[in-house]
Amino acid sequence: MDPGALVGRDEELLLLIEAHRCRPAGGIVLEGPPGIGKTSLARRFVDVRSAAGAEVLWLAATRTAAGIPFAAFAPLLSGAPSEADPSVDVLARLLDEVRGRRDLVVVVDDAPLLDDSSAALLHQIALATDAFVVATVRTGDEPPDAVAALWKDGLLERVALQALSEREVGELLSALLDGPVESSVTRRVAEA
């Protein structure tokens, strides 16, 4: 299967592209259950935007790093912050780093797992920069207040991804297995 292929998410991909075209300093929160394709959709959007010349900052939040301030944004830090470096200075420094970039797409995969400092920075990026933000959120995860405020305050549009149809599951299986798949198999996988 073509690694750039995306089955059953054409409408959502077009929504992301159109949202970025109309409001480049906005963004979208992709919400859905685990395995529904949030990350794959975000990656495909990034591929499209990168090909058009956009700069992409891909950040992944993890449970392991949730206790480390600004862990998700560590790739932007030049040198390690000292013990005496207050969080507000780090936040301001990172925000300035993002502010200075043109046509920037910031993607945060698993945004509810962000540490509080990174969540506050993400909120400030959405509020005070020209970056286009895409955040993925698992249905049922309780995000930090700053992440929930992204859609509650209207900074980002929240899009709930739906399960693929049985036909789309069949297309995906055929593409992955490089050949036709029996309808009974497709039906069982779609139900699962």
Side-chain angles (χ1 to χ4, degrees):
M1 179 177 178
D2 172 15
L6 190 65
V7 175
R9 296 286 178 226
D10 293 338
E11 287 179 29
E12 293 90 344
L13 180 59
L14 288 173
L15 174 75
L16 280 165
I17 293 168
E18 186 64 16
H20 183 253
R21 189 186 67 74
C22 292
R23 192 172 162 216
I28 291 188
V29 175
L30 300 173
E31 180 185 28
I36 201 155
K38 301 176 297 296
T39 302
S40 296
L41 176 58
R43 285 193 194 286
R44 184 65 181 121
F45 172 69
V46 161
D47 291 345
V48 170
R49 292 307 308 138
S50 293
E55 180 182 1
V56 175
L57 178 59
W58 185 282
L59 307 166
T62 64
R63 289 190 202 295
T64 306
I68 304 169
F70 300 108
F73 288 91
L76 287 179
L77 287 170
S78 54
S82 69
E83 289 291 322
D85 200 1
S87 289
V88 79
D89 288 342
V90 174
L91 187 136
R93 199 170 78 200
L94 287 167
L95 191 58
D96 283 345
E97 181 73 28
V98 171
R99 240 189 220 122
R101 298 177 182 208
R102 291 259 177 241
D103 199 12
L104 177 65
V105 175
V106 177
V107 180
V108 180
D109 198 22
D110 287 327
L113 300 179
L114 286 173
D115 62 89
D116 288 341
S117 298
S118 292
L121 177 57
L122 179 63
H123 186 266
Q124 288 301 308
I125 288 170
L127 185 65
T129 74
D130 291 333
F132 187 82
V133 176
V134 177
T136 67
V137 175
R138 287 182 185 173
T139 303
D141 278 0
E142 188 64 37
D145 290 345
V147 172
L150 293 172
W151 62 84
K152 288 181 179 176
D153 294 349
L155 297 172
L156 306 183
E157 182 181 347
R158 191 174 179 183
V159 175
L161 297 183
Q162 304 302 312
L164 296 177
S165 69
E166 189 173 317
R167 180 188 56 74
E168 292 166 334
V169 169
E171 289 176 27
L172 180 60
L173 288 172
S174 293
L176 287 171
L177 299 173
D178 199 25
V181 177
E182 296 227 0
S183 61
S184 62
V185 173
T186 298
R187 188 172 24 267
R188 291 175 96 178
V189 171
E191 289 170 2

